[in-house]
Amino acid sequence: QKEVEQDPGPLSVPEGAIVSLNCTYSNSAFQYFMWYRQYSRKGPELLMYTYSSGNKEDGRFTAQVDKSSKYISLFIRDSQPSDSATYLCAMSSNSGNTPLVFGKGTRLSVIA
Amino acid sequence: GAVVSQHPSRVICKSGTSVKIECRSLDFQATTMFWYRQFPKQSLMLMATSNEGSKATYEQGVEKDKFLINHASLTLSTLTVTSAHPEDSSFYICSASPQSNEQFFGPGTRLTVL
């Protein structure tokens, strides 16, 4: 079993839909969870950063962490064609400057 | 968020030559930077951790003599691909963190080895 599992998609939704992206993980030591958005041929852009369990909201984006289930989610409300990208979950166990463990990424297409 | 730059954004070279990629933190100091490689439709694979003033730490399977890393200052790390081969063609991305582990990525460098 890989440390971080993420459905690669592709996921196609109509404009305005609510998008749900998910990752599961096996390492119970992970405490810091991130979501990155990556457009084609670009570097990943940090969207959300959360610590431990709970919810965090930023505009149309909501990140949820359920450590008991080892499950994290990213919700995108009122999705736009500009949200079309690959979304990568990432996590780490330390608060220090340590490498992240990434999911494979989910490719999302929002159709106008 | 913090800004990380990379140069060049794209490079094409002949097999057997060496290529240097620069990673800079523009508005913060970074004692540690990370180098990743990404193949098409794949996730990011950590290659090495670059530490300012000391030797880089390489992941298993990454040849340190082939991928030379130098972290000469708190804002600059370089990755040199030596004796490049076509199988080294990939998207190379660096990241750095101004605090905790909120890592910010550079725009990436696309290397094509002919």
Side-chain angles (χ1 to χ4, degrees), chain A residues 91-102:
Chain A
M91 45 198 81
S92 73
S93 55
N94 300 319
S95 62
N97 220 338
T98 55
L100 302 178
V101 180
F102 282 89

Side-chain angles (χ1 to χ4, degrees), chain B residues 2-76:
Chain B
V3 181
V4 177
S5 71
Q6 272 184 251
H7 177 80
S9 59
R10 184 168 186 171
V11 57
I12 300 172
C13 69
K14 292 182 178 180
S15 186
T17 61
S18 295
V19 174
K20 180 185 283 188
I21 303 170
E22 293 185 348
C23 177
R24 292 181 185 275
S25 56
L26 297 186
D27 51 0
F28 65 97
Q29 294 183 330
T31 56
T32 303
M33 292 183 175
F34 302 98
W35 286 97
Y36 296 84
R37 181 166 54 183
Q38 186 177 35
F39 292 106
K41 298 184 180 181
Q42 302 275 324
S43 189
L44 284 77
M45 298 297 295
L46 179 68
M47 298 177 65
T49 301
S50 172
N51 303 298
E52 188 269 337
S54 63
K55 291 182 179 180
T57 304
Y58 291 82
E59 294 301 298
Q60 190 173 11
V62 178
E63 300 175 57
K64 62 179 181 180
D65 294 329
K66 181 169 181 62
F67 298 99
L68 301 178
I69 291 174
N70 184 273
H71 197 146
S73 77
L74 287 172
T75 59
L76 173 64

Side-chain angles (χ1 to χ4, degrees), chain A:
Chain A
Q1 181 187 14
K2 292 186 177 180
E3 274 197 295
V4 180
E5 299 274 5
Q6 184 177 9
D7 186 340
L11 178 63
S12 185
V13 301
E15 183 176 0
I18 296 175
V19 177
S20 173
L21 304 168
N22 312 292
C23 287
T24 59
Y25 61 95
S26 57
N27 188 344
S28 58
F30 287 145
Q31 296 188 77
Y32 300 87
F33 305 91
M34 285 136 274
W35 285 96
Y36 287 87
R37 176 174 63 195
Q38 186 177 25
Y39 292 111
S40 182
R41 299 173 182 264
K42 302 289 184 183
E45 172 193 5
L46 180 63
L47 281 179
M48 301 290 280
Y49 175 87
T50 53
Y51 167 69
S52 195
S53 286
N55 294 356
K56 183 174 183 179
E57 187 173 321
D58 184 0
R60 296 185 294 113
F61 299 92
T62 299
Q64 287 186 351
V65 175
D66 182 348
K67 290 189 66 181
S68 63
S69 302
K70 299 190 181 68
Y71 186 88
I72 70 170
S73 301
L74 177 70
F75 297 96
I76 307 174
R77 291 183 297 281
D78 188 24
S79 56
Q80 303 295 310
S82 58
D83 295 328
S84 298
T86 297
Y87 290 80
L88 298 137
C89 63
M91 45 198 81
S92 73
S93 55
N94 300 319
S95 62
N97 220 338
T98 55
L100 302 178
V101 180
F102 282 89
K104 277 194 168 184
T106 300
R107 184 176 294 183
L108 170 68
S109 292
V110 180
I111 310 301

Side-chain angles (χ1 to χ4, degrees), chain B residues 86-100:
Chain B
E87 56 264 33
D88 297 326
S89 298
S90 187
F91 193 51
Y92 292 86
I93 314 174
C94 68
S95 74
S97 175
Q99 59 183 4
S100 66

